[in-house]
Amino acid sequence: MIDECSSAGEGRQDRRVLTDGGDPDSWIDEAIDNVDDGDASENTRSRPTRDAGGNYDSNLGMGGDDELTVTVCRKECPACGWTTMQSYHNGCDAPIVYIGGEWNCGACGARVTPRDTCADCGTQVNRRRIAVPVDMRLSAESVEIEHAIHDETNRRRVDHGLDRLTYSDHLSIIAARHSRDMAQRDFFAHANPDGDEPSDRYKTFGHDTRSSGENIALEHYDVLATPEKVAQSVVDAWMNSQGHRENILRDHFTEEGIGVYLNHDGGVYATQNFY
């Protein structure tokens, strides 16, 4: 999704883009990431499960603060103290999750009951369901996506006979702050809830405002989407919007900074600031 770009006299257009990247069969790399003993905490994260068709499955619920969760089985041996939250379907080597009132393989969907005996001593274990927070953030780093968007922007400018923009760390700080603000305060606009416009943010960070412009985008991707895939999709969306396109192809701009924030729900917030 892109909003109207920010530059005096620019056109307005809103467009939603949904992009899926990566291998559709590799729905999860690790069912429980950094989870072993003890209860799930706010720092515990797992990747989302998919059904056989590559779609996010119905074992996803909502935890505190509207956080996505997946339900797994915590097993504890009363005899030797062995504890785990990792149960796998032998046929698929995929995690067992609680879906629709029963335990199922997170990959093939087959009904699978987690083993009820201790792997160390064979004693019957105590079992209970645990909701583990799901992290759908891209595996790529935000800085990788920022530089990929910068490279893709310059490629489009060169294709139109324009000079490349230099990368400004100062502008990227301004852009990153706005992307994070949009994600954390749940809005999508050039003006934040306090009424601050792009020019206000330039002033706050001590940047000259005589020549400025801003593009923003919000899109959702598969966790394995590459920086290049994200960059191409974001810049394509901007180039298909008149105002955003004019910002990218404005010949008197010489610098840009990109700020990307990766939200836990898979959302990628991108802000592009020009000078």
Side-chain angles (χ1 to χ4, degrees):
M1 180 169 62
I2 59 174
D3 204 347
E4 69 274 10
C5 65
S6 174
S7 259
E10 301 302 335
R12 295 170 178 261
Q13 183 174 357
D14 189 290
R15 179 168 179 262
R16 180 180 299 273
V17 180
L18 181 64
T19 303
D20 189 41
D23 181 357
D25 294 326
S26 59
W27 57 271
I28 192 170
D29 292 325
E30 295 181 15
I32 311 298
D33 186 18
N34 297 324
V35 179
D36 190 5
D37 297 333
D39 293 337
S41 70
E42 64 180 7
N43 295 320
T44 301
R45 294 291 184 270
S46 69
R47 289 298 185 188
T49 61
R50 291 176 179 266
D51 61 21
N55 301 308
Y56 291 112
D57 213 338
S58 58
N59 62 307
L60 298 180
M62 300 304 295
D65 297 325
D66 293 330
E67 187 172 47
L68 287 170
T69 61
V70 59
T71 301
V72 298
C73 182
R74 183 181 189 274
K75 295 176 285 187
E76 182 177 358
C77 177
C80 69
W82 174 81
T83 305
T84 187
M85 284 195 290
Q86 296 175 321
S87 298
Y88 295 92
H89 180 204
N90 291 334
C92 297
D93 196 26
I96 300 172
V97 293
Y98 194 71
I99 305 173
E102 60 184 26
W103 294 101
N104 298 84
C105 171
C108 70
R111 184 173 181 178
V112 184
T113 302
R115 70 182 291 176
D116 58 1
T117 56
C118 176
D120 288 345
C121 69
T123 302
Q124 185 167 349
V125 298
N126 297 321
R127 300 188 306 183
R128 63 190 179 98
R129 297 194 296 272
I130 292 289
V132 179
V134 176
D135 192 341
M136 298 173 69
R137 274 183 287 254
L138 272 68
S139 57
E141 298 291 336
S142 58
V143 67
E144 296 177 308
I145 299 172
E146 290 164 359
H147 286 286
I149 292 175
H150 174 62
D151 291 341
E152 185 66 19
T153 296
N154 274 334
R155 188 179 72 79
R156 306 301 178 95
R157 285 178 62 89
V158 169
D159 287 347
H160 288 80
L162 299 172
D163 292 335
R164 293 176 178 272
L165 300 171
T166 58
Y167 194 80
S168 167
D169 290 332
H170 194 177
L171 288 173
S172 70
I173 292 172
I174 300 172
R177 181 68 171 268
H178 187 55
S179 291
R180 183 178 66 182
D181 191 29
M182 287 192 292
Q184 293 183 344
R185 292 205 279 176
D186 193 24
F187 72 96
F188 182 69
H190 292 286
N192 67 22
D194 301 321
D196 293 333
E197 299 280 353
S199 59
D200 298 312
R201 292 189 287 275
Y202 277 52
K203 292 175 184 177
T204 297
F205 285 89
H207 198 286
D208 191 352
T209 61
R210 288 175 296 177
S211 175
S212 63
E214 181 177 272
N215 289 341
I216 59 175
L218 169 59
E219 302 186 15
H220 288 75
Y221 299 87
D222 183 271
V223 295
L224 298 179
T226 65
E228 293 75 20
K229 178 72 173 180
V230 175
Q232 182 177 352
S233 174
V234 168
V235 177
D236 277 347
W238 284 335
M239 290 295 287
N240 287 325
S241 167
Q242 181 180 353
H244 301 83
R245 177 187 178 92
E246 290 175 359
N247 267 347
I248 290 175
L249 301 181
R250 202 174 297 279
D251 59 3
H252 70 260
F253 283 151
T254 59
E255 302 176 16
E256 75 164 348
I258 311 294
V260 168
Y261 186 87
L262 305 178
N263 208 27
H264 68 83
D265 65 354
V268 176
Y269 290 80
T271 302
Q272 182 179 45
N273 285 129
F274 300 93
Y275 182 75

